[in-house]
Amino acid sequence: MPAQPYVRFQSPYPDRLGRRIGIFGLVNMLGKRGLLTPAEEHFRRTTNAWYDATYLNPTTVDPTVYDPTINPTAAAWFSPTAEHLLKPIPDYLAILAAHNLPCDRYDSPDPGRIIYEDPNQVVVVPHEAAPSIEPTASMWLPPTP
């Protein structure tokens, strides 16, 4: 039986440092720039607070997990058992679509070398020798008129 895949939602385009920003970072970027509607900002703040209360931030266990000099390409993936954490994702995707920001879904049983793991997520450094993982689905929609 094949391993259940880990799941990640991220930008299809790398940032200036070569990283692909995840779904939470993309929505938070819009919020920090003041580009969200009041309803979107309320959703962002309350749902981010729910995530903060629901699962552990890896940096509280290991502050070097996302250190750009140690793990510059580290990225978090949802564990196969974290289905409850995926329920708000469609609303994050709707916000990104309303602002014309694409976001791809990736599924992989082996997304990289695990540098952090808990019951809800893994943080990995992608395998350098492996071919890049292709997106499972692209979540881009043009903004509504």
Side-chain angles (χ1 to χ4, degrees), residues 42-55 92:
H42 175 75
F43 169 81
R44 180 183 80 88
R45 287 182 180 272
T46 58
T47 310
N48 283 359
W50 175 80
Y51 275 111
D52 289 343
T54 303
Y55 75 97
Y92 280 93

Side-chain angles (χ1 to χ4, degrees), residues 10 12 15 21 24 44 52 61 68 81 84 88 103-104 113 126 128 131 138 142:
Q10 68 183 20
D15 68 4
I21 306 302
F24 303 120
R44 180 183 80 88
D52 289 343
V61 175
T81 57
H84 64 290
C103 188
D104 288 342
R113 179 176 53 87
E128 291 184 33
S138 187

Side-chain angles (χ1 to χ4, degrees), residues 1-136:
M1 175 192 292
Q4 290 288 347
Y6 294 96
V7 177
R8 178 167 170 81
F9 295 86
Q10 68 183 20
S11 171
Y13 308 109
D15 68 4
R16 61 181 163 59
L17 300 175
R19 300 170 302 181
R20 296 189 186 239
I21 306 302
I23 190 168
F24 303 120
L26 293 170
V27 173
N28 288 339
M29 176 187 65
L30 291 171
K32 290 176 184 173
R33 293 179 180 174
L35 299 173
L36 297 177
T37 67
E40 291 169 339
E41 179 62 15
H42 175 75
F43 169 81
R44 180 183 80 88
R45 287 182 180 272
T46 58
T47 310
N48 283 359
W50 175 80
Y51 275 111
D52 289 343
T54 303
Y55 75 97
L56 191 61
N57 180 334
T59 60
T60 61
V61 175
D62 179 358
T64 67
V65 166
Y66 294 115
D67 185 307
T69 59
I70 299 171
N71 299 310
T73 58
W77 290 65
F78 290 105
S79 292
T81 57
E83 290 182 20
H84 64 290
L85 296 177
L86 296 176
K87 289 181 181 172
I89 295 298
D91 292 323
Y92 280 93
L93 291 170
I95 290 171
L96 294 175
H99 294 271
N100 206 23
L101 277 178
C103 188
D104 288 342
R105 176 186 170 130
Y106 294 80
D107 295 88
S108 175
D110 183 19
R113 179 176 53 87
I114 296 174
I115 57 174
Y116 171 84
E117 184 171 14
D118 67 36
N120 297 309
Q121 64 188 322
V122 294
V123 177
V124 304
V125 173
H127 297 298
E128 291 184 33
S132 63
I133 299 170
E134 293 298 318
T136 306

